[in-house]
Amino acid sequence: MRGNIVLFGDSITEESFRSGGWGASLANIFSRKADVLCRGYDGYNTRWALFLLHHLFPLVLDSPTKPPIATTIFFGANDAALPGGFRERHHVPVQEYKDNLRKIVTHLKECSPTMLIVLITPPPIDEERRLEYARATYGEEAMKLADRTNESAGVYAKGCVEVAGEMGIPSINIWSKMQETDGWQKKYLSDGLHLTALGNAVVFEQIVRVFKEARLHPEEMPYDFPHHSEIDADNPDMAFQLKCA
Amino acid sequence: MRGNIVLFGDSITEESFRSGGWGASLANIFSRKADVLCRGYDGYNTRWALFLLHHLFPLVLDSPTKPPIATTIFFGANDAALPGGFRERHHVPVQEYKDNLRKIVTHLKECSPTMLIVLITPPPIDEERRLEYARATYGEEAMKLADRTNESAGVYAKGCVEVAGEMGIPSINIWSKMQETDGWQKKYLSDGLHLTALGNAVVFEQIVRVFKEARLHPEEMPYDFPHHSEIDADNPDMAFQLKCA
C-alpha cells in the first residue's frame, strides 16, 4: 500500500538505524506514510554494489513488488580508500567510481522514471583519528600509510556531484557541508570516518531538505489509514470505508 | 529476498523509531537479515485494529508478497482507557479486547503457520503523571477523572497473557516487568504511559529474549549478500556467484 524509500550504501548506511541514526530518523518522520528500508553493506565499494543492483532493484517486469518512491545512494568512502593503504582492497579508481554511479542511477531510472534518486558524497576524513583507529585495531604495521585522506575523499565527492549534475538528479555534498562547521572532525565523526549522533543529524537534515525540494514532504503525504481523531467511536466502520475501499 | 518483521500496535509502536526506540533497535540488529516494518497506529484500540488486519496482512493467495517471519502485537493501552474518562472513546471492554486479540492471532496464523507471533501487554500507568499531562493538555476539565489507571492496565495485561497461553504463542508482560524496577514511573515512562529511552530499552530486550527463545537469532541468520571480507578484490564475482545464484 505505502511506498518504500531505500537507503543504498556502505557501512554509513548499514549503521543508520543505530540510536540517533539518520535512517531511523527518516523512518520516524515517514511513519504511516512510507517504509524506509536499509540496504547498507559495510565495506562495499561501487564495484561490488553493482553485483547487488538487479537483486535489490528488480525491473518491474521481473518483480511483483513496486519500485521504491525514493532511493539514496551513499557510496564512495570505500572506493576512496588509498591504493597502498591498509584498506587497498576496497579501492576503486575515481573514474570507475563515477561510471559505477552512472550505472546505478541508469538502472534505477529504468526501474521507475518517477523514483527520486539522491546521490550522497562520502563524508570528510579526519586523518589523525584514522591513524589512531588503525593503530588501535591493527597495531604499528597499519601506521605506515593512512587508509584514507580527506583530499582523496574530496576528489570522490566532487566526482559524485558531477555525476548527479550530468544525470539531472539531486546530490548532497556531505564532504563540503560537514567541513563548514568548526570542529567537524570530532563533532561529526566517531573514528575519523563514521558518523556521530550529530553527524547523523546533518545527513538526516540534508536528506529531508533535498526530499522537500523534490516535493517528497512527509507532512503532505496521507496517513495510510484514518487518524484516530477521524474515527467515530460509535460508528468506526465509516472512517474505514472511506480510507480502505 | 529477506523476510519482514512487522510491529503492529498503537502509538507505542508508532513511536518506536524515535531516537533510542525499540523498533529502530530491532531494525539495527536485523540489519542485512530482515526488514523491520512499523505498523503502529496512534490512538488505536484492538477494535479499530481489526479493520486494518486484512490490509496489513493479506492472505498469501491474495498477495504477491510473503507474510512476515515474525509479528509483534502490542495493543491494550487504548483499550484500557477508562469508561467515563477523557479517553473514553478509545475504551474497549476487556472481554472484547481478548476476543479481538484472538481474531488477530488467528488471522496471522492463517497467513503463515510458521510466523512467530508475540503478544505484548500494555505498559504500566503512572497515574500521577497522567493527571499532570491531562491538566497541561486539556486544562482543569480533564482533571475530574484519570484517563487510565494502573489497575485497569493490569487487567488488560493479564487478559493478553491469558490469550497468548490459550493460543500457544509467546507473550511479554511488560506491565509486570517494568514494575519490578524501583522508580519505574519516571525511569520508563515519559508521560505516565509512553516510553522513555530506558523504557524502550526494556521492550527491546524483552523482544530479543522472546525471539531468541523462539530461535529467531539475528546472529544465526545469514547476511543477505557476502560480507566484504569474503570478497576477493581481484575476483569479486566468485563471492557473488555463490551467494546470489
Side-chain angles (χ1 to χ4, degrees), chain B residues 205-230:
Chain B
E205 284 158 20
Q206 293 299 310
I207 293 175
V208 171
R209 177 183 60 77
V210 168
F211 276 11
K212 287 189 175 175
E213 283 169 6
R215 301 193 188 168
L216 185 60
H217 261 277
E219 299 86 352
E220 292 174 11
M221 294 165 77
Y223 278 118
D224 58 346
F225 289 104
H227 187 267
H228 73 77
S229 62
E230 296 167 20

Side-chain angles (χ1 to χ4, degrees), chain B residues 8 49-63 67-68 71 73 99-115 117 167 169:
Chain B
F8 186 34
L50 289 182
F51 286 98
L52 313 184
L53 199 55
H54 286 259
H55 294 278
L56 298 181
F57 304 96
L59 293 174
V60 176
L61 288 174
D62 302 336
S63 168
T71 300
I73 304 168
D99 209 40
N100 292 340
L101 288 181
R102 285 186 196 102
K103 286 178 186 165
I104 294 171
V105 174
T106 301
H107 177 74
L108 292 184
K109 287 184 170 189
E110 272 177 54
C111 284
S112 159
T114 60
M115 191 193 307
I117 306 166
M167 304 195 79
I169 61 168

